[in-house]
Amino acid sequence: MTSKVARTQPYRVGDTISKAKLLPRPRTLTELVAGLHIIFEDNDIEVEDVKSYLSSYVAKDEEWKHLAKFDPHSCIHDHSDAHCFMKVLQGDLTETKFEWPENDQAPMIPCGNEYVQRDEVAYINDSIGLHRVGNSSESPACSLHLYSPPFQDCQTFDQKSGHKVRCHVTFHTKFGEKVCYVSTVSNN
């Protein structure tokens, strides 16, 4: 699978007719990724069209399980001014949203929960707030995340204090392929 280079200019949410409406329903994960590349060729995107296109893909366990990493929940985090689309591939997830903390001296109060079930899509960006995503059942859960534009760093937040830390993001997969990180040791 060929991957595209991240754009140097940010994507804009516009009022144009989306390519998503012209694409056939993706029957495979490969078709989904290819369709998303087409949708994001332009600078203008429609959030609802991307959500609709992601929702139209019916997850097939055999297509993604070898790429999956199962964690019980994420920490509270931002998205570095990117769009975040999250499609649930298996199980049920709870997205807990938080407002941006005014300082790092006060606890963060949740401002809403959204329960996202298999094949549903959730969306957030930094103007909406921060979030934490967790498995809301005893069964395994897994989700596919699409970040546009891609980012290398984000901020995580301590719920008790609001204190934030900048973190380098590592992805388990990129463009539908597993990512192998090689650590190097310096002898200096």
Side-chain angles (χ1 to χ4, degrees):
M1 181 179 307
T2 305
S3 62
K4 292 191 176 192
V5 177
R7 302 182 77 79
T8 57
Q9 51 187 317
Y11 292 102
R12 297 182 312 259
V13 176
D15 295 323
T16 60
I17 295 175
S18 171
K19 291 180 182 179
K21 293 179 181 173
L22 305 175
L23 292 171
R25 181 175 172 221
R27 293 168 294 158
T28 66
L29 183 59
T30 301
E31 288 179 5
L32 175 69
V33 172
L36 289 168
H37 279 293
I38 292 169
I39 292 168
F40 285 95
E41 282 177 344
D42 296 326
N43 287 335
D44 293 321
I45 62 166
E46 292 291 335
V47 169
E48 291 305 316
D49 288 341
V50 176
K51 286 177 65 177
S52 175
Y53 187 69
L54 282 167
S55 293
S56 72
Y57 167 68
V58 177
K60 296 174 189 77
D61 294 356
E62 67 275 6
E63 290 188 312
W64 59 263
K65 277 211 173 176
H66 68 286
L67 301 171
K69 180 180 180 192
F70 294 89
D71 288 329
H73 61 81
S74 69
C75 53
I76 301 169
H77 60 279
D78 72 356
H79 293 92
S80 298
D81 294 321
H83 300 278
C84 170
F85 299 90
M86 179 185 75
K87 178 180 178 72
V88 177
L89 301 175
Q90 177 181 332
D92 301 318
L93 294 173
T94 301
E95 177 189 38
T96 305
K97 294 180 181 168
F98 297 84
E99 292 181 10
W100 283 84
E102 292 183 24
N103 58 56
D104 61 1
Q105 305 289 319
M108 297 178 67
I109 309 298
C111 60
N113 285 324
E114 182 175 346
Y115 299 96
V116 190
Q117 298 176 331
R118 184 179 182 128
D119 288 320
E120 292 182 337
V121 177
Y123 171 81
I124 192 168
N125 66 44
D126 289 347
S127 68
I128 294 170
L130 309 168
H131 75 167
R132 172 178 56 218
V133 178
N135 188 346
S136 52
S137 71
E138 297 293 320
S139 302
C142 187
S143 55
L144 171 69
H145 296 250
L146 168 63
Y147 304 110
S148 176
F151 54 90
Q152 298 295 320
D153 297 289
C154 72
Q155 298 177 103
T156 61
F157 297 80
D158 180 273
Q159 186 173 353
K160 293 179 183 175
S161 69
H163 179 74
K164 65 183 172 188
V165 175
R166 178 147 300 278
C167 301
H168 184 70
V169 178
T170 56
F171 295 99
H172 191 63
T173 61
K174 289 184 181 179
F175 306 109
E177 302 287 332
K178 265 193 170 182
V179 177
C180 295
Y181 291 95
V182 178
S183 59
T184 57
V185 178
S186 174
N187 292 331
N188 296 338

